[in-house]
Amino acid sequence: MTNATNKQIKPGSTIGILGGGQLGRMIALAGRAMGYRFVTMDPTEDAPCGQTADRQIVANYDDVEAAMQLASVSDVISYEFENVDAQVAEVLESQAYVPQGSRLLRVTQNRIREKTAIREIGIPVAPFHVVASLEDLQKAVRELGLPAVMKTATGGYDGKGQWVIKSESELAEAYETLAKAGTELIVEQFVPFQLELSVIAARNPSGELAVFPTAENVHQDNILHLSIVPARVSEDVKVRAEAIARTIVEKLDVIGLIAVEMFLTADGELYVNELAPRPHNSGHYTMDACVTSQFEQHVRAVCNLPLGSTELLSPVVMVNILGEHLQPVLDGIDRLPSSAKLHLYGKAESKVKRKMGHINVLAPTVEEALATIEQLQIWTKNAEVQS
């Protein structure tokens, strides 16, 4: 089926989602409010998205037969995370309408291809080398200097699949450990950044483009802890960050949503760290603080509807609820202020470091929102909240 730029999928149609996690769940919740039906495909029974969709096909992500079944009942197909099998997405392109396509999926599934693509369109990334042996790693470190960051080219998230190398004595152990993944390895020069920022951008097949306000992200143990909006940076930095996101969307021909994660250095330079071609954890603040949420925007984009306003209605801080926070949040639910919006993902099992939900705390200023989070005493043992 041709991905015609004038093709519009109107409310009442069925949207198929490859992947059944919390991002799919929130896409479906937003889309159902607009009148769409949903079918999701995920290997876990009663997956978060399956709870909100009309139907769940229980199958592995590389199951072509199941994917074709998804295509047979869907008017448009989207994916909710980039570890969906790109070959399945490619096969679906010939049989169904997949406006996001498989090309960007293949690029963003592999850090080497991703960083090469970003560099080729003139956007700064940390200098990097591909390594296939301990000798390659030793040579790369001599050229890049220490500290350096070695990562698996595929897989890994929330800090998994990477090693910050601080001394030459670590090289052999770092290489041996990450090489067990059986994938290519990449070594990047460490960027001494002051802050991490992210920008969520959207584009529909007609070419309309919209960018959400820049978020300032705080991590704990390599997992996103807080997203602060407006980001506490200069207007110039925000303008440049949003311009980088626009360039990436246009040059990489993005359809749907993309999250652009960036490092801000002490001298004001911005380096793109990663891309995610889908809704993103750092965009959850949009659910309560923007005219249009990132999830509604994703539906609008893949269905080729006019994009919604990205105007920020209130300062906001999004704080993640991990497995170790869930019970304290539930026990302290009476203490949550009326401006705090709780979102839980319906996961069957609560595990330490597993994302179980988030809270958006709206306030007149981000400083007041941060103070509210600190006063709740739910996250203080796990992260320093800097107000």
Side-chain angles (χ1 to χ4, degrees), residues 123-341:
I123 302 296
V125 296
F128 66 91
H129 287 284
V130 179
V131 296
S133 66
L134 178 57
E135 291 71 26
D136 286 348
L137 175 58
Q138 292 167 335
K139 181 181 178 182
V141 165
R142 284 197 296 270
E143 293 185 19
L144 297 173
L146 291 175
V149 185
M150 184 163 66
K151 302 176 181 178
T152 56
T154 60
Y157 63 95
D158 289 342
K160 299 178 178 68
Q162 64 178 269
W163 189 301
V164 179
I165 302 170
K166 297 178 182 178
S167 70
E168 290 190 12
S169 63
E170 297 177 62
L171 295 181
E173 183 183 1
Y175 181 80
E176 182 181 344
T177 300
L178 294 191
K180 290 177 182 176
T183 181
E184 294 177 291
L185 300 175
I186 181 173
V187 180
E188 304 171 11
Q189 188 176 83
F190 181 80
V191 176
F193 62 95
Q194 281 194 324
L195 293 173
E196 183 188 284
L197 305 174
S198 62
V199 177
I200 312 290
R203 181 169 171 266
N204 65 20
S206 294
E208 185 184 2
L209 197 157
V211 176
F212 285 96
T214 303
E216 172 190 345
N217 299 322
V218 177
H219 288 77
Q220 178 69 17
D221 297 330
N222 294 309
I223 301 173
L224 183 63
H225 173 50
L226 303 170
S227 287
I228 302 166
V229 186
R232 297 172 296 181
V233 296
S234 69
E235 285 303 314
D236 171 68
V237 169
K238 293 175 190 174
V239 168
R240 287 190 288 124
E242 291 164 19
I244 285 172
R246 288 179 180 273
T247 298
I248 287 172
V249 167
E250 291 170 345
K251 297 292 186 180
L252 297 185
D253 196 25
V254 173
I255 301 296
L257 252 60
I258 193 164
V260 183
E261 297 180 51
M262 298 171 238
F263 292 141
L264 174 67
T265 65
D267 57 2
E269 295 299 315
L270 288 168
Y271 293 85
V272 171
N273 180 39
E274 287 186 346
L275 305 178
R278 51 165 172 78
H280 192 258
N281 194 174
S282 67
H284 290 353
Y285 77 89
T286 63
M287 297 173 75
D288 301 297
C290 289
V291 173
T292 308
S293 76
Q294 66 167 341
F295 301 103
E296 179 185 337
Q297 195 78 300
H298 183 76
V299 172
R300 286 175 171 270
V302 298
C303 292
N304 205 17
L305 300 182
L307 299 181
S309 167
T310 58
E311 179 186 354
L312 185 70
L313 299 174
S314 168
V316 59
V317 175
M318 187 284 303
V319 56
N320 268 330
I321 300 170
L322 305 183
E324 60 267 37
H325 307 136
L326 181 58
Q327 197 57 51
V329 166
L330 295 177
D331 291 344
I333 199 164
D334 291 340
R335 295 188 293 114
L336 293 178
S338 59
S339 61
K341 305 297 183 179

Side-chain angles (χ1 to χ4, degrees), residues 66-101:
M68 296 307 291
Q69 184 183 353
L70 179 70
S72 71
V73 295
S74 303
D75 297 295
V76 61
I77 291 178
S78 178
Y79 47 81
E80 61 113 31
F81 78 137
E82 61 269 35
N83 288 332
V84 167
D85 192 280
Q87 185 176 356
V88 167
E90 192 172 350
V91 169
L92 284 172
E93 280 185 288
S94 65
Q95 302 293 325
Y97 182 46
V98 190
Q100 289 165 280

